[in-house]
Amino acid sequence: MNSDSTHASTPAPTLDLEPAARRVTELLDAIDDDRLGGPTPCPDYTVRELLAHLNGLAAAFRDAARKDLGASTAVSPDSALPVLDDEWRKVLPRRLEQVAAAWRSPAAWTGMTRAGGVELPGEVAGAVALDELVVHGWDLARSTGQPYDAGEAELRACAALLAPVDDDPDRGGIFGPPVPVPDDAPLLDRVIGLSGRRPDWRPGG
């Protein structure tokens, strides 16, 4: 099947990564160098490693969307602590813009691709990319004392991805075992709980 016929038969993407990517970019200006060593909700990461992880995942999911499978999509993020690029203030915003643009292509959501060394359908990879941006955006905001919110459609997509399956309510998922959160809590808090974080997390407490 040629590329024209593939494009014509491909449904439009249902998830837009641009708002989540933009929110992360907007957080960066308030992060001074003296904040880079601060703690985050990710126990193994300081703010420095969290920024490096965001930089790496933006490149990996950009390339996953493009089906450009190589070094960026082959390595598990758990293989080693990520190292922050010296030019991260320029590189990370550009990569965030690129990952959002890549997932605007209907072709990104079809066929198989790879991210973190894992083969998975394009539509699943796109949902994971959105979830990574939303949850790690919250991580970054909470770590640096900034407000954070997300759209309902984004949060519902994240909740659907993270929700425990009926026969394994304690499964680790892509972040960790869920933290119990009241059913009437805000949807963002419920998503954060599903990702294995306490919604009331604060640095040093």
Side-chain angles (χ1 to χ4, degrees):
M1 183 177 291
N2 63 40
S3 58
D4 290 341
S5 60
T6 300
H7 181 83
S9 61
T10 302
T14 57
L15 300 175
D16 183 5
L17 275 63
E18 193 277 333
R22 185 183 67 248
R23 282 194 303 273
V24 174
T25 299
E26 290 170 350
L27 295 169
L28 302 181
D29 285 343
I31 303 176
D32 298 328
D33 287 350
D34 59 4
R35 289 185 179 269
L36 295 179
T40 76
C42 309
D44 296 331
Y45 286 177
T46 64
V47 172
R48 181 187 304 276
E49 280 87 41
L50 178 57
L51 289 165
H53 179 64
L54 280 161
N55 198 35
L57 76 86
F61 282 99
R62 173 200 65 199
D63 295 343
R66 296 171 176 173
K67 310 297 194 293
D68 182 10
L69 308 184
S72 67
T73 66
V75 179
S76 167
D78 298 327
S79 61
L81 279 178
V83 177
L84 187 61
D85 190 305
D86 289 341
E87 298 296 319
W88 68 271
R89 293 186 186 278
K90 295 178 180 178
V91 174
L92 180 51
R94 183 167 66 248
R95 286 189 175 176
L96 289 165
E97 183 178 349
Q98 289 170 345
V99 72
W103 286 99
R104 290 193 195 104
S105 169
W109 300 84
T110 64
M112 295 296 293
T113 189
R114 184 175 66 213
V118 178
E119 304 285 334
L120 69 174
E123 62 184 313
V124 175
V128 173
L130 174 65
D131 188 69
E132 291 271 355
L133 291 172
V134 168
V135 173
H136 286 313
W138 180 90
D139 288 336
L140 188 61
R142 191 54 58 96
S143 302
T144 56
Q146 300 185 68
Y148 187 84
D149 203 356
E152 183 174 353
E154 296 171 81
L155 292 173
R156 293 200 178 282
C158 293
L161 183 73
L162 294 171
V165 293
D166 291 341
D167 60 349
D168 189 7
D170 296 321
R171 68 97 173 91
I174 61 175
F175 286 107
V179 171
V181 175
D183 291 341
D184 60 353
L187 183 54
L188 176 58
D189 286 0
R190 283 179 274 153
V191 167
I192 294 306
L194 286 170
S195 76
R197 292 147 169 77
R198 288 183 11 242
D200 63 349
W201 187 93
R202 294 290 188 281

